[in-house]
Amino acid sequence: MYNEKIAITSILILLLGFPFPLLYGRQAIGEPAMIFYLLAGYYIFWRHLEKHSIVSFGAGMLLWGLALTSKQQALPFWTLSMVMAVLFASIRRDTFIFWTTLSAVSGTLIAWQGMLKFQHLLEKNLPLYGAPMKGLLGVTGWAPILELRVEALILIVVLALPILIGLIYALFLERSIGEIEENTRPLFYLRLVYWSLISSWLFWFVTLAMPWARYLYPPAFLGSIFIAVLIFKLTDGLNFSRVINSISIMLRKIRFTTEGLKAIFCIILLSYMGSIVINRHSFIFKVPNHDAERIAEYLNQSMPVDAYIETYDSELLFLVQRRFHYPPDQVQVELNKRTFLGQSVEIQYDPMLFDPHYIVVGPFSNMWGLYNSTVAQRDIWKLIYELPGYKVYERVQQE
């Protein structure tokens, strides 16, 4: 979108872990796949605008369909980004881009729905685990509550302030929209849709989303390019020696200059980013924790083969070769209401209905307090094994 130096700077920012360490990419969540397919789709879209290739056109719709299938969260922001391209193309009478973008939107939505139907076809002989969740949007993406909005704003200031400044500067760069040359037109539209994607995503995070770092991760990751654009401008093309010289001249002559102030702002910005990198796990020594492996080894060796185990810690489902019962997804919605929205919600879930022999309370179960009232019944459950992060309770045999 800009130049190779800016691209390399953006990648370096991500590798250093600003504002999120790359550990997010190793988690079993949909965001990394969504980010990859979104980026690939935008790249292919630009290539099609440049080359008018039918192959690129089809590949772009397929990639965007995969992005929406990986994580539906991207749908409103991706749609808005494409609407912006359609609007600008109609204003500028760019007929090719107007119809290309409309066709890409339609084809992507068709591809996405086709992928979902194919997925449902694969699942048709599998039993549905519990009823479909109700009220999920209200505890994840639509929470216009003042306290939560303040928390989201604080998180933006703490983690994503350089992205906001970079977005404003990138918009300033495109101020001469009416002077777009024919050979730079595809690149302008690529910048437009990408800028719209990140801006709308951050706006949603501030105004409606639950203030969770996970929801800030995609726009922060994708928005690193705008931080790089800002740094490139402040350093006059990554000329850091000039930055130092400008500051030293201004301090020595005690005279404020534009170059000197720009250099000071650059140092403050880089210092801010460096502090975030250091404080958010990237360079802090971490003590390895093997509690999950240890508890899995205990359960595999000590539990009877026919043992039935209740837990809300999903890592054990993969590590332990025993039968498990895992609470239905609707329980999570109710727990979110109680924990994050402060609602007085009674959790309609009783693990005793499923007659488990053991209950394992790990970090996740403990955080939500789902089994607190159950294991507190000492005449029914007794603690038989404990690690710093896990507790194993056995059901007492009633005589």
Side-chain angles (χ1 to χ4, degrees), residues 288-302 315-316 319-320 385-390 392:
N289 186 316
H290 300 288
D291 283 357
E293 291 89 340
R294 291 170 61 193
I295 197 70
E297 182 180 6
Y298 169 79
L299 294 174
N300 280 324
Q301 293 181 355
S302 303
E315 68 275 10
L316 300 182
L319 297 174
V320 180
Y385 188 76
E386 184 175 5
L387 289 173
Y390 294 85
V392 180

Side-chain angles (χ1 to χ4, degrees), residues 34-35 37-43 45 57 60-69 71-86 100-112 192-201 204 222:
M34 174 193 67
I35 288 172
Y37 291 128
L38 278 176
L39 280 175
Y42 281 117
Y43 173 75
F45 177 70
F57 186 61
M61 292 186 293
L62 178 63
L63 288 166
W64 278 334
L66 288 167
L68 299 181
T69 305
K71 190 78 176 177
Q72 193 172 326
Q73 184 186 42
L75 178 61
F77 318 118
W78 172 83
T79 302
L80 180 62
S81 75
M82 303 305 285
V83 168
M84 290 297 292
V86 171
T100 294
T101 307
L102 273 183
S103 301
V105 171
S106 302
T108 298
L109 295 178
I110 292 172
W112 170 48
L192 172 67
V193 295
Y194 197 83
W195 187 92
S196 302
L197 175 84
I198 307 304
S199 300
S200 60
W201 210 316
W204 165 76
L222 293 167

Side-chain angles (χ1 to χ4, degrees), residues 310 351-352 358-361 366 369-383 391-394:
E310 168 83 25
M352 297 295 288
Y358 302 90
I359 292 179
V360 180
V361 179
N366 188 57
L370 184 59
Y371 301 118
N372 289 354
S373 59
T374 302
V375 298
Q377 303 175 50
R378 302 302 182 187
D379 57 329
I380 301 178
W381 296 97
K382 67 176 180 179
L383 180 65
K391 292 181 179 180
V392 180
Y393 293 88
E394 181 181 23

Side-chain angles (χ1 to χ4, degrees), residues 65-269:
L66 288 167
L68 299 181
T69 305
S70 300
K71 190 78 176 177
Q72 193 172 326
Q73 184 186 42
L75 178 61
F77 318 118
W78 172 83
T79 302
L80 180 62
S81 75
M82 303 305 285
V83 168
M84 290 297 292
V86 171
L87 288 177
F88 270 86
S90 62
I91 292 171
R92 291 183 46 80
R93 301 184 186 281
D94 288 329
T95 306
F96 170 72
I97 292 179
F98 177 85
W99 289 111
T100 294
T101 307
L102 273 183
S103 301
V105 171
S106 302
T108 298
L109 295 178
I110 292 172
W112 170 48
Q113 288 300 309
M115 291 175 189
L116 291 180
K117 290 186 182 301
F118 179 66
Q119 177 180 324
H120 294 328
L121 182 65
L122 296 176
E123 297 171 341
K124 69 176 183 179
N125 292 324
L126 299 175
L128 179 65
Y129 185 66
M133 284 189 289
K134 298 179 180 179
L136 179 62
L137 183 62
V139 296
T140 56
W142 193 271
I145 300 172
L146 180 60
E147 293 80 2
L148 297 180
R149 305 291 38 96
V150 172
E151 289 182 32
L153 191 59
I154 291 173
L155 203 57
I156 286 282
V157 172
V158 171
L159 297 178
L161 195 56
I163 299 174
L164 288 180
I165 300 173
L167 284 167
I168 294 171
Y169 177 67
L171 183 62
F172 174 77
L173 285 179
E174 307 295 342
R175 65 191 182 281
S176 57
I177 293 173
E179 302 173 5
I180 304 169
E181 298 179 4
E182 186 66 24
N183 61 338
T184 62
R185 198 171 48 146
L187 198 57
F188 163 76
Y189 279 99
L190 175 64
R191 291 176 180 175
L192 172 67
V193 295
Y194 197 83
W195 187 92
S196 302
L197 175 84
I198 307 304
S199 300
S200 60
W201 210 316
L202 288 176
F203 181 78
W204 165 76
F205 182 83
V206 172
T207 58
L208 290 172
M210 290 297 291
W212 298 335
R214 174 179 173 179
Y215 287 171
L216 184 57
Y217 164 61
F221 187 102
L222 293 167
S224 63
I225 186 69
F226 298 112
I227 304 177
V229 169
L230 180 63
I231 293 174
F232 189 82
K233 173 62 178 178
L234 293 174
T235 58
D236 291 320
L238 305 183
N239 188 349
F240 290 98
S241 61
R242 185 170 179 176
V243 172
I244 301 301
N245 289 336
S246 298
I247 294 177
S248 62
I249 290 172
M250 187 178 71
L251 295 178
R252 188 168 60 249
K253 295 184 177 182
I254 315 178
R255 185 178 64 194
F256 291 103
T257 64
T258 302
E259 289 298 316
L261 292 174
K262 189 170 69 173
I264 288 177
F265 180 70
C266 179
I267 295 299
I268 293 173
L269 178 69

